[in-house]
Short mmCIF file of all heavy atoms in Angstrom, two decimals:
data_model
loop_
_atom_site.label_atom_id
_atom_site.label_comp_id
_atom_site.label_asym_id
_atom_site.label_seq_id
_atom_site.Cartn_x
_atom_site.Cartn_y
_atom_site.Cartn_z
N ASN A 401 0.86 -1.11 0.05
CA ASN A 401 -0.03 0.03 -0.01
C ASN A 401 0.95 1.22 0.03
O ASN A 401 2.02 1.25 0.43
CB ASN A 401 -0.85 0.03 1.32
CG ASN A 401 -1.93 -1.09 1.28
OD1 ASN A 401 -2.85 -1.10 0.95
ND2 ASN A 401 -1.29 -2.17 2.05
N THR A 402 0.35 2.34 -0.51
CA THR A 402 1.13 3.61 -0.45
C THR A 402 0.66 4.36 0.78
O THR A 402 -0.49 4.34 1.17
CB THR A 402 1.00 4.44 -1.76
OG1 THR A 402 -0.46 4.89 -1.80
CG2 THR A 402 1.40 3.59 -2.92
N PHE A 403 1.61 5.22 1.32
CA PHE A 403 1.20 6.19 2.39
C PHE A 403 1.70 7.51 1.79
O PHE A 403 2.55 7.62 1.16
CB PHE A 403 1.54 5.89 3.75
CG PHE A 403 3.11 5.95 3.78
CD1 PHE A 403 3.77 7.24 4.15
CD2 PHE A 403 4.02 4.90 3.69
CE1 PHE A 403 5.12 7.34 4.35
CE2 PHE A 403 5.44 4.92 3.81
CZ PHE A 403 5.99 6.19 4.10
N HIS A 404 1.04 8.53 2.46
CA HIS A 404 1.45 9.94 2.06
C HIS A 404 0.85 10.74 3.18
O HIS A 404 -0.21 10.91 3.52
CB HIS A 404 0.78 10.47 0.72
CG HIS A 404 1.26 11.78 0.30
ND1 HIS A 404 0.81 12.40 -0.94
CD2 HIS A 404 2.25 12.65 0.74
CE1 HIS A 404 1.34 13.54 -1.04
NE2 HIS A 404 2.30 13.73 -0.13
N LEU A 405 1.96 11.36 4.03
CA LEU A 405 1.65 12.17 5.04
C LEU A 405 1.86 13.65 4.64
O LEU A 405 2.90 13.99 4.05
CB LEU A 405 2.58 11.92 6.34
CG LEU A 405 2.61 10.31 6.80
CD1 LEU A 405 3.51 10.29 8.02
CD2 LEU A 405 1.23 9.84 6.96
N ILE A 406 0.88 14.48 4.80
CA ILE A 406 1.05 15.92 4.66
C ILE A 406 0.92 16.66 6.01
O ILE A 406 -0.14 16.57 6.59
CB ILE A 406 0.09 16.43 3.56
CG1 ILE A 406 0.19 15.67 2.27
CG2 ILE A 406 0.20 18.00 3.36
CD1 ILE A 406 -0.80 16.03 1.23
N VAL A 407 2.06 17.36 6.39
CA VAL A 407 2.12 17.94 7.72
C VAL A 407 2.59 19.29 7.55
O VAL A 407 3.73 19.65 7.20
CB VAL A 407 3.19 17.16 8.65
CG1 VAL A 407 3.32 17.89 9.98
CG2 VAL A 407 2.61 15.71 8.80
N LYS A 408 1.60 20.26 7.68
CA LYS A 408 1.84 21.71 7.58
C LYS A 408 1.36 22.32 8.83
O LYS A 408 0.10 22.39 8.93
CB LYS A 408 1.20 22.26 6.38
CG LYS A 408 1.87 21.69 5.03
CD LYS A 408 0.99 22.19 3.75
CE LYS A 408 1.47 21.51 2.47
NZ LYS A 408 0.78 22.03 1.38
N GLY A 409 2.26 23.16 9.44
CA GLY A 409 1.80 23.83 10.72
C GLY A 409 1.06 22.81 11.64
O GLY A 409 1.68 21.82 12.00
N ASN A 410 -0.08 23.16 12.02
CA ASN A 410 -0.82 22.28 13.12
C ASN A 410 -1.87 21.40 12.35
O ASN A 410 -2.68 20.80 12.94
CB ASN A 410 -1.50 23.00 14.11
CG ASN A 410 -2.62 23.98 13.50
OD1 ASN A 410 -2.77 24.19 12.42
ND2 ASN A 410 -3.47 24.45 14.45
N HIS A 411 -1.68 21.25 10.91
CA HIS A 411 -2.66 20.50 10.08
C HIS A 411 -2.02 19.24 9.81
O HIS A 411 -0.84 19.25 8.97
CB HIS A 411 -3.10 21.30 8.95
CG HIS A 411 -4.19 20.68 8.21
ND1 HIS A 411 -4.56 21.07 6.86
CD2 HIS A 411 -5.24 19.74 8.58
CE1 HIS A 411 -5.58 20.35 6.50
NE2 HIS A 411 -6.04 19.53 7.56
N LEU A 412 -2.41 18.04 10.09
CA LEU A 412 -1.83 16.68 9.99
C LEU A 412 -2.82 15.83 9.16
O LEU A 412 -3.84 15.45 9.69
CB LEU A 412 -1.57 16.04 11.26
CG LEU A 412 -1.09 17.04 12.41
CD1 LEU A 412 -0.96 16.21 13.73
CD2 LEU A 412 0.31 17.53 12.10
N GLN A 413 -2.35 15.39 7.95
CA GLN A 413 -3.23 14.65 7.11
C GLN A 413 -2.48 13.25 6.68
O GLN A 413 -1.40 13.33 6.38
CB GLN A 413 -3.55 15.24 5.76
CG GLN A 413 -4.41 16.50 5.99
CD GLN A 413 -4.70 17.27 4.71
OE1 GLN A 413 -3.85 17.61 4.00
NE2 GLN A 413 -5.99 17.41 4.47
N HIS A 414 -3.26 12.16 6.81
CA HIS A 414 -2.74 10.81 6.54
C HIS A 414 -3.51 10.24 5.36
O HIS A 414 -4.72 10.05 5.37
CB HIS A 414 -2.94 9.80 7.72
CG HIS A 414 -2.17 10.34 9.06
ND1 HIS A 414 -2.36 9.69 10.15
CD2 HIS A 414 -1.16 11.29 9.20
CE1 HIS A 414 -1.63 10.28 11.00
NE2 HIS A 414 -0.91 11.26 10.49
N PHE A 415 -2.85 10.03 4.34
CA PHE A 415 -3.39 9.41 3.07
C PHE A 415 -2.82 7.88 2.92
O PHE A 415 -1.67 7.69 3.16
CB PHE A 415 -3.17 10.15 1.82
CG PHE A 415 -3.64 11.45 1.73
CD1 PHE A 415 -3.08 12.48 2.37
CD2 PHE A 415 -4.73 11.73 0.93
CE1 PHE A 415 -3.48 13.78 2.20
CE2 PHE A 415 -5.26 13.00 0.75
CZ PHE A 415 -4.67 14.02 1.52
N ILE A 416 -3.93 6.94 2.61
CA ILE A 416 -3.46 5.62 2.21
C ILE A 416 -4.02 5.32 0.84
O ILE A 416 -5.22 5.50 0.62
CB ILE A 416 -4.01 4.53 3.32
CG1 ILE A 416 -3.46 4.81 4.73
CG2 ILE A 416 -3.52 3.14 2.81
CD1 ILE A 416 -2.05 4.73 5.04
N ASN A 417 -3.08 4.86 -0.07
CA ASN A 417 -3.45 4.59 -1.45
C ASN A 417 -4.19 5.71 -2.00
O ASN A 417 -5.26 5.60 -2.75
CB ASN A 417 -4.30 3.24 -1.52
CG ASN A 417 -3.47 2.12 -1.10
OD1 ASN A 417 -2.34 2.13 -1.45
ND2 ASN A 417 -4.13 1.11 -0.52
N GLY A 418 -3.66 6.96 -1.68
CA GLY A 418 -4.31 8.26 -2.38
C GLY A 418 -5.56 8.69 -1.66
O GLY A 418 -6.19 9.73 -2.06
N VAL A 419 -6.15 7.96 -0.53
CA VAL A 419 -7.46 8.27 -0.01
C VAL A 419 -7.03 8.91 1.43
O VAL A 419 -6.43 8.43 2.21
CB VAL A 419 -8.31 7.04 0.15
CG1 VAL A 419 -9.58 7.47 0.90
CG2 VAL A 419 -8.54 6.51 -1.15
N LEU A 420 -7.69 10.10 1.70
CA LEU A 420 -7.57 10.81 3.01
C LEU A 420 -8.13 9.97 4.10
O LEU A 420 -9.44 9.80 3.96
CB LEU A 420 -8.02 12.15 3.00
CG LEU A 420 -7.93 13.08 4.19
CD1 LEU A 420 -6.46 13.16 4.66
CD2 LEU A 420 -8.50 14.40 4.00
N MET A 421 -7.42 9.50 5.01
CA MET A 421 -7.99 8.62 6.12
C MET A 421 -8.22 9.33 7.37
O MET A 421 -9.20 9.00 8.20
CB MET A 421 -7.01 7.41 6.32
CG MET A 421 -6.65 6.64 5.18
SD MET A 421 -8.16 5.42 4.95
CE MET A 421 -7.83 4.82 3.41
N SER A 422 -7.41 10.32 7.78
CA SER A 422 -7.66 11.06 9.03
C SER A 422 -7.05 12.56 8.73
O SER A 422 -6.06 12.69 7.95
CB SER A 422 -7.01 10.45 10.11
OG SER A 422 -5.53 10.39 10.14
N ASP A 423 -7.54 13.48 9.54
CA ASP A 423 -7.36 14.89 9.22
C ASP A 423 -7.48 15.61 10.62
O ASP A 423 -8.57 15.71 11.26
CB ASP A 423 -8.28 15.48 8.25
CG ASP A 423 -7.96 17.03 7.79
OD1 ASP A 423 -7.71 17.74 8.81
OD2 ASP A 423 -7.89 17.29 6.58
N VAL A 424 -6.29 15.97 11.09
CA VAL A 424 -6.26 16.64 12.53
C VAL A 424 -5.74 18.10 12.48
O VAL A 424 -4.73 18.42 11.78
CB VAL A 424 -5.34 15.89 13.43
CG1 VAL A 424 -5.20 16.51 14.73
CG2 VAL A 424 -5.82 14.39 13.71
N THR A 425 -6.45 18.98 12.96
CA THR A 425 -5.91 20.31 13.35
C THR A 425 -5.66 20.37 14.81
O THR A 425 -6.53 20.38 15.63
CB THR A 425 -6.99 21.34 12.92
OG1 THR A 425 -7.24 21.34 11.55
CG2 THR A 425 -6.44 22.86 13.21
N ASP A 426 -4.50 20.44 15.20
CA ASP A 426 -3.96 20.40 16.58
C ASP A 426 -3.70 21.87 17.10
O ASP A 426 -2.57 22.46 16.77
CB ASP A 426 -2.80 19.55 16.65
CG ASP A 426 -2.36 19.19 18.20
OD1 ASP A 426 -3.08 19.74 19.05
OD2 ASP A 426 -1.48 18.37 18.36
N ASN A 427 -4.57 22.34 17.90
CA ASN A 427 -4.47 23.66 18.51
C ASN A 427 -3.80 23.54 19.96
O ASN A 427 -3.71 24.53 20.60
CB ASN A 427 -5.72 24.38 18.63
CG ASN A 427 -6.31 24.71 17.18
OD1 ASN A 427 -5.48 25.12 16.31
ND2 ASN A 427 -7.63 24.60 17.06
N ASP A 428 -3.36 22.43 20.26
CA ASP A 428 -2.76 22.20 21.66
C ASP A 428 -1.27 22.36 21.54
O ASP A 428 -0.51 21.51 21.15
CB ASP A 428 -3.08 20.83 21.99
CG ASP A 428 -2.43 20.41 23.47
OD1 ASP A 428 -1.68 21.22 24.02
OD2 ASP A 428 -2.82 19.25 23.89
N THR A 429 -0.81 23.64 21.90
CA THR A 429 0.61 23.92 21.80
C THR A 429 1.45 23.47 22.83
O THR A 429 2.66 23.41 22.85
CB THR A 429 0.85 25.46 21.61
OG1 THR A 429 0.19 26.10 22.80
CG2 THR A 429 0.23 26.13 20.29
N VAL A 430 0.71 22.88 23.91
CA VAL A 430 1.52 22.46 25.16
C VAL A 430 1.94 20.92 24.82
O VAL A 430 3.12 20.56 24.98
CB VAL A 430 0.65 22.42 26.45
CG1 VAL A 430 1.16 21.61 27.51
CG2 VAL A 430 0.23 23.71 26.75
N ASN A 431 0.99 20.14 24.20
CA ASN A 431 1.45 18.72 23.95
C ASN A 431 1.86 18.49 22.56
O ASN A 431 2.58 17.49 22.23
CB ASN A 431 0.21 17.92 24.34
CG ASN A 431 -0.06 17.94 25.78
OD1 ASN A 431 0.77 17.43 26.56
ND2 ASN A 431 -1.27 18.33 26.17
N GLY A 432 1.29 19.30 21.51
CA GLY A 432 1.69 19.15 20.18
C GLY A 432 3.08 19.65 19.96
O GLY A 432 3.78 20.35 20.77
N LYS A 433 3.70 19.24 18.80
CA LYS A 433 5.00 19.65 18.53
C LYS A 433 5.05 20.14 17.08
O LYS A 433 4.41 19.63 16.18
CB LYS A 433 5.99 18.44 18.53
CG LYS A 433 6.37 18.12 20.14
CD LYS A 433 7.67 17.28 20.22
CE LYS A 433 8.89 18.26 19.77
NZ LYS A 433 10.12 17.55 19.80
N ALA A 434 6.05 21.11 16.85
CA ALA A 434 6.13 21.69 15.50
C ALA A 434 7.27 21.02 14.75
O ALA A 434 7.32 21.34 13.46
CB ALA A 434 6.45 23.29 15.71
N LYS A 435 8.13 20.24 15.35
CA LYS A 435 9.09 19.54 14.59
C LYS A 435 9.59 18.30 15.42
O LYS A 435 9.32 18.30 16.68
CB LYS A 435 10.29 20.36 14.34
CG LYS A 435 11.06 20.80 15.43
CD LYS A 435 12.27 21.61 15.03
CE LYS A 435 13.17 21.96 16.12
NZ LYS A 435 14.42 22.73 15.77
N GLY A 436 10.27 17.38 14.81
CA GLY A 436 10.76 16.33 15.60
C GLY A 436 11.19 15.16 14.77
O GLY A 436 11.32 15.16 13.57
N MET A 437 11.54 14.05 15.44
CA MET A 437 12.14 12.87 14.81
C MET A 437 11.10 12.07 13.98
O MET A 437 9.91 12.11 14.21
CB MET A 437 12.86 12.08 15.80
CG MET A 437 14.05 12.59 16.38
SD MET A 437 14.83 11.49 17.61
CE MET A 437 16.43 12.47 17.97
N LEU A 438 11.76 11.44 13.00
CA LEU A 438 10.84 10.49 12.12
C LEU A 438 11.39 9.01 12.24
O LEU A 438 12.61 8.86 12.42
CB LEU A 438 11.09 11.00 10.61
CG LEU A 438 10.28 10.35 9.59
CD1 LEU A 438 8.79 10.76 9.57
CD2 LEU A 438 11.10 10.86 8.23
N GLY A 439 10.41 8.04 12.33
CA GLY A 439 10.81 6.79 12.50
C GLY A 439 9.71 5.84 12.19
O GLY A 439 8.52 6.18 12.16
N VAL A 440 10.07 4.46 12.08
CA VAL A 440 8.93 3.53 11.91
C VAL A 440 9.09 2.42 13.08
O VAL A 440 10.10 2.21 13.53
CB VAL A 440 8.97 2.91 10.54
CG1 VAL A 440 8.57 4.00 9.53
CG2 VAL A 440 10.24 2.29 10.18
N GLN A 441 7.97 1.79 13.28
CA GLN A 441 7.83 0.97 14.56
C GLN A 441 7.52 -0.50 14.32
O GLN A 441 6.93 -0.89 13.35
CB GLN A 441 6.60 1.62 15.25
CG GLN A 441 6.17 0.76 16.53
CD GLN A 441 4.79 1.24 16.95
OE1 GLN A 441 3.79 0.93 16.40
NE2 GLN A 441 4.75 1.86 18.22
N VAL A 442 8.01 -1.34 15.27
CA VAL A 442 7.62 -2.62 15.52
C VAL A 442 6.90 -2.64 16.88
O VAL A 442 7.56 -2.05 17.80
CB VAL A 442 8.57 -3.83 15.29
CG1 VAL A 442 8.86 -4.05 13.97
CG2 VAL A 442 9.83 -3.44 16.03
#
């Protein structure tokens, strides 16, 4: 499957196979982050 993450400011979009699956606008500046590390998980 393909994934495509579009992350701009506090707007976070997750696409799978070209289809938007979730869309978050994060106005929580205490817990949210504007930058950080990238990685994949087991």
